[in-house]
Amino acid sequence: MDSVEKLTSAITMVEEARGVPLSASCVVHRGEMLELLDEARAALPNDLESAQKLIAARDAIIEEGRVSAEQMIAMAREDVARMVEQTSIVQLARDEARKILDEARTLGDQEKQEVEEYIDGRLATLEVILNKTQDAVARGRERLAGANDKDVLSQLSDAD
């Protein structure tokens, strides 16, 4: 900032100037002071323009940062929403899987009960058949045993 330097030099010149006795005035070289003030005035528009450009650039950077921050916040909110949605989807899937497993277990238990009842019925039928067969075998053995007794009796009567 050239104009600021020039104004600072002018102030220093006034401060260091020789004072007029018994007054608040001082003696300053008019030509040097005017030259210094003219240079400051000439540099001032350029310095103001540079300052305005810096302020505009700063404002643009701040705006860009604000927009970027808003985009990041929006993306973060979307990510959170997606994660929550995925969490609810996962929970729904787990619930559905649990329901399917429960239904499969119930169906399996029902089918197992039906199979056991069928097998029990078949075994009961087989038991009845085996009991009848055993009774028939026992009667047959009794007849065979009785026939031998008759043979023994007939042999006894033949021997007489």
Side-chain angles (χ1 to χ4, degrees), residues 7-128:
L7 290 174
T8 303
S9 295
I11 291 171
T12 303
M13 187 182 289
V14 170
E15 288 174 342
E16 294 174 354
R18 197 171 36 128
V20 175
L22 300 173
S23 91
S25 300
C26 65
V27 176
V28 184
H29 190 276
R30 181 182 298 185
E32 287 179 13
M33 181 59 76
L34 287 174
E35 183 181 335
L36 197 58
L37 291 173
D38 281 341
E39 288 174 2
R41 181 174 47 191
L44 192 59
N46 291 335
D47 290 345
L48 284 175
E49 185 179 337
S50 296
Q52 288 173 341
K53 286 179 182 177
L54 283 175
I55 290 172
R58 181 201 66 173
D59 289 345
I61 290 171
I62 290 172
E63 180 64 19
E64 183 180 322
R66 186 188 62 74
V67 168
S68 177
E70 286 177 359
Q71 288 174 344
M72 284 183 198
I73 290 170
M75 287 182 359
R77 286 184 178 145
E78 288 174 8
D79 288 346
V80 166
R82 191 176 311 111
M83 287 177 185
V84 167
E85 181 180 318
Q86 287 175 349
T87 302
S88 64
I89 289 171
V90 168
Q91 186 60 43
L92 288 173
R94 285 183 181 152
D95 291 345
E96 186 65 22
R98 199 173 299 116
K99 178 182 168 187
I100 290 170
L101 284 173
D102 289 343
E103 289 174 0
R105 284 187 186 112
T106 302
L107 182 62
D109 289 344
Q110 288 174 352
E111 288 180 357
K112 179 182 174 186
Q113 182 67 30
E114 289 174 8
V115 167
E116 287 177 355
E117 288 175 5
Y118 174 78
I119 290 172
D120 186 52
R122 296 301 291 172
L123 288 174
T125 302
L126 182 60
E127 182 180 26
V128 168

